[in-house]
Amino acid sequence: MSNRMWGGRFSAGPSAIMEEINASIDFDRKLYAQDIAGSKAHAEMLAARGIISEGDAGKIAEGLDAIKAEIDEGRFTFSRALEDIHMNVEQRLKELIGPAAGRLHTARSRNDQVATDFRLWVRDGLDHLDDQLAELMGALVARAGEHAGTVMPGFTHLQSAQPVTFGHHLLAYVEMLARDRGRVQDARRRLNECPLGAAALAGTSFPIDRHMTAASLGFDRPTANSLDSVSDRDFALEAMAAASIVAVHLSRLAEEIVIWSSAQFGFVRLSDAFSTGSSIMPQKRNPDAAELVRAKAGRIIGDMNALLIVMKGLPLAYQKDMQEDKEQVFDAFESLSLALAATTGMVGDLQPDIKRMAAAAGSGFSTATDLADWLVRVPGLPFRDAHHVTGRLVAMAAERGVELADLSLADMKTVHDGITEAVYDVLTVENSVRSRTSHGGTAPDNVRAEVKRWQALIG
């Protein structure tokens, strides 16, 4: 069928293949609430400027409210022949209010219309992500408070390095997520300019008030250049970049949950709510929620890359290629929202095995650095010499199959005569973590102070 919304330029309808590749209603229907809000603001402005009558503006607003109710309630019939959400809404408006509907598109184009709708959708999405990030941070802070003094091994290169507290480890992710929230909020601030009124690419000769429309839709200001307004999607790319970094942080935490919950580590246990079994191995408890969160990162990063590639070679202004901008953004935001919800659930659900963590924290000569530091503080060795002495003691303990604390004082004195009985005070994991009182260190008192600080900041 011919699409009459195009006007008189085309005498015949599109081929089936053209209709298939051209239609976007299957996915851009997600923009319906934003599209209707933009149209209501536009009609109100047109009436305020005397471009359309107050009566027609009133009919348009009532008709748009009715359409939104139909879509909300699942009573609206979307037509692929009408291509997109804008034409579907406009056609239905015409059916409801008659010729007055035709005045709505005065002084605008689908180009500035979709740019406005898309900014509104991304803005709503960023607000939702910000709320979810705050919720996850709150969950991590709460668990950190419970485990401010719970000792676990800290790793570098996935090798036992120095003892830390579980609370300190969890707070590391709070710091990452706080920066993520900053990026989300920055992206929102930069996108919060209104393209409506830029029209197709050059602006309009009608005496519109773009500042009024922008204010009505909650934007800080109208966009300053009509060409840029309709032809860039950097606001979506920036939002997806922020989302991708969040996804990477979630993936890192998910990876740790996978490792910690393995039989070889046994640091934490997830309940049945976040685990699955095996179809053949009855003993299995698989951390599938964490594994799927980990996988979502690849999907979200892929979505961002897809949009970057769509945009990279486009001349000004609008190109139909940009119809391919939305599915990736919708998918990335929905995937990240699900990953955030799952991660928040796992953080609240996981149960640490405190004894096993503590035992692992004391293995692998994890207090060797404490021994080197003691040699600097007490006998007064230069750190490089202390490092060498400690290395010889580690080698001795490793050869005998014992930990540093199991070496006798006489054995230690064969390496350095200045070592005294007091050295054993620094060779326990509990004393090791308590000693790390420097700003940002793992000492339990530090962790408790940070928990209070974050509780006040998150609210």
Side-chain angles (χ1 to χ4, degrees):
M1 63 176 280
S2 175
N3 186 339
R4 297 184 183 279
M5 304 297 283
W6 287 350
R9 172 65 178 83
F10 294 86
S11 59
S15 72
I17 292 173
M18 178 60 190
E19 183 173 299
E20 183 68 23
I21 197 172
N22 195 49
S24 61
I25 188 60
D26 293 342
F27 53 86
D28 71 12
R29 66 178 64 185
K30 289 181 183 290
L31 299 173
Y32 79 90
Q34 291 79 17
D35 191 71
I36 289 170
S39 290
K40 289 179 68 175
H42 185 65
E44 182 181 9
M45 179 277 296
L46 292 176
R49 298 293 293 163
I51 298 170
I52 66 173
S53 70
E54 293 286 351
D56 282 345
K59 291 179 183 178
I60 288 169
E62 290 177 7
L64 290 170
D65 286 340
I67 293 168
K68 185 175 184 299
E70 289 178 357
I71 300 176
D72 286 342
E73 297 164 11
R75 296 184 288 109
F76 189 92
T77 301
F78 292 98
S79 169
R80 298 187 89 246
L82 292 171
E83 296 182 25
D84 57 33
I85 186 61
H86 323 298
M87 287 187 168
N88 270 264
V89 169
E90 188 172 336
Q91 177 61 29
R92 179 59 177 149
L93 186 64
K94 183 177 180 181
E95 293 169 1
L96 290 174
I97 69 170
R103 301 192 183 280
L104 174 59
H105 209 54
T106 306
R108 76 174 184 185
S109 161
R110 279 191 296 176
N111 294 355
D112 61 335
Q113 189 178 357
V114 70
T116 303
D117 294 355
F118 201 19
R119 282 182 187 247
L120 289 170
W121 192 95
V122 172
R123 188 177 73 184
D124 291 342
L126 289 171
D127 288 343
H128 181 61
L129 291 181
D130 188 56
D131 289 342
Q132 286 191 288
L133 285 165
E135 185 178 1
L136 176 54
M137 290 172 66
L140 287 163
V141 168
R143 300 312 303 272
E146 295 170 18
H147 295 283
T150 298
V151 177
M152 69 174 290
F155 298 96
T156 61
H157 308 279
L158 206 55
Q159 305 293 314
S160 185
Q162 292 177 266
V164 296
T165 63
F166 188 46
H168 189 62
H169 195 113
L170 295 177
L171 288 178
Y173 285 99
V174 175
E175 295 287 340
M176 297 179 210
L177 295 170
R179 294 192 296 273
D180 290 334
R181 287 190 74 190
R183 280 182 281 270
V184 165
Q185 292 162 5
D186 283 348
R188 189 198 195 281
R189 177 175 54 81
R190 264 184 289 278
L191 76 73
N192 207 34
E193 296 181 347
C194 183
L196 203 57
L201 76 161
T204 178
S205 59
F206 288 96
I208 62 174
D209 184 347
R210 293 190 62 206
H211 288 86
M212 176 182 175
T213 311
S216 179
L217 293 170
F219 289 107
D220 294 331
R221 64 191 69 83
T223 51
N225 183 284
S226 59
L227 284 165
D228 174 60
S229 300
V230 300
S231 67
D232 206 350
R233 295 294 184 267
D234 59 351
F235 65 90
L237 287 167
E238 184 175 9
M240 293 177 77
S244 295
I245 298 172
V246 176
V248 168
H249 287 154
L250 298 185
S251 181
R252 296 183 71 185
L253 177 55
E255 170 70 2
E256 296 207 296
I257 292 173
V258 170
I259 292 171
W260 292 342
S261 62
S262 68
Q264 289 73 21
F265 273 72
F267 288 178
V268 302
R269 185 180 187 277
L270 290 171
S271 76
D272 293 349
F274 291 95
S275 304
T276 64
S278 165
S279 63
I280 190 173
M281 294 170 285
Q283 82 281 10
K284 292 295 293 296
R285 175 184 289 274
N286 299 324
D288 280 9
E291 291 171 9
L292 289 166
V293 167
R294 189 175 58 186
K296 293 291 185 187
R299 180 169 175 169
I300 292 164
I301 294 166
D303 286 331
M304 180 185 70
N305 286 338
L307 183 53
L308 282 166
I309 294 166
V310 166
M311 295 299 300
K312 72 174 182 62
L314 301 186
L316 299 182
Y318 181 83
Q319 314 290 328
K320 192 67 170 181
D321 309 52
M322 292 164 67
Q323 183 168 290
E324 295 294 318
D325 59 0
K326 297 170 198 66
E327 287 180 281
Q328 295 95 328
V329 175
F330 295 159
D331 181 72
F333 273 67
E334 289 164 7
S335 296
L336 183 56
S337 180
L338 181 57
L340 281 163
T343 304
T344 302
M346 285 188 290
V347 167
D349 181 76
L350 60 84
Q351 292 301 316
D353 186 329
I354 296 173
K355 290 183 179 179
R356 187 149 181 172
M357 281 185 169
S363 66
F365 312 110
S366 64
T367 56
T369 305
D370 298 272
L371 174 54
D373 290 346
W374 184 89
L375 289 167
V376 171
R377 287 195 307 270
V378 181
L381 273 66
F383 182 79
R384 285 301 174 197
D385 293 344
H387 187 283
H388 178 73
V389 169
T390 302
R392 289 180 62 191
L393 290 170
V394 167
M396 180 187 294
E399 184 178 344
R400 297 181 184 183
V402 298
E403 295 295 329
L404 283 170
D406 298 321
L407 293 175
S408 70
L409 181 59
D411 288 335
M412 290 192 182
K413 281 182 172 292
T414 63
V415 177
H416 192 277
D417 192 50
I419 298 176
T420 68
E421 192 75 31
V423 74
Y424 291 100
D425 290 340
V426 303
L427 296 182
T428 68
V429 293
E430 292 78 15
N431 285 345
S432 175
V433 297
R434 275 198 292 269
S435 73
R436 306 294 172 182
T437 56
S438 59
H439 184 77
T442 191
D445 286 346
N446 284 17
V447 173
R448 294 184 186 99
E450 283 298 289
V451 165
K452 289 182 180 178
R453 182 176 74 89
W454 278 116
Q455 286 172 337
L457 287 172
I458 297 170

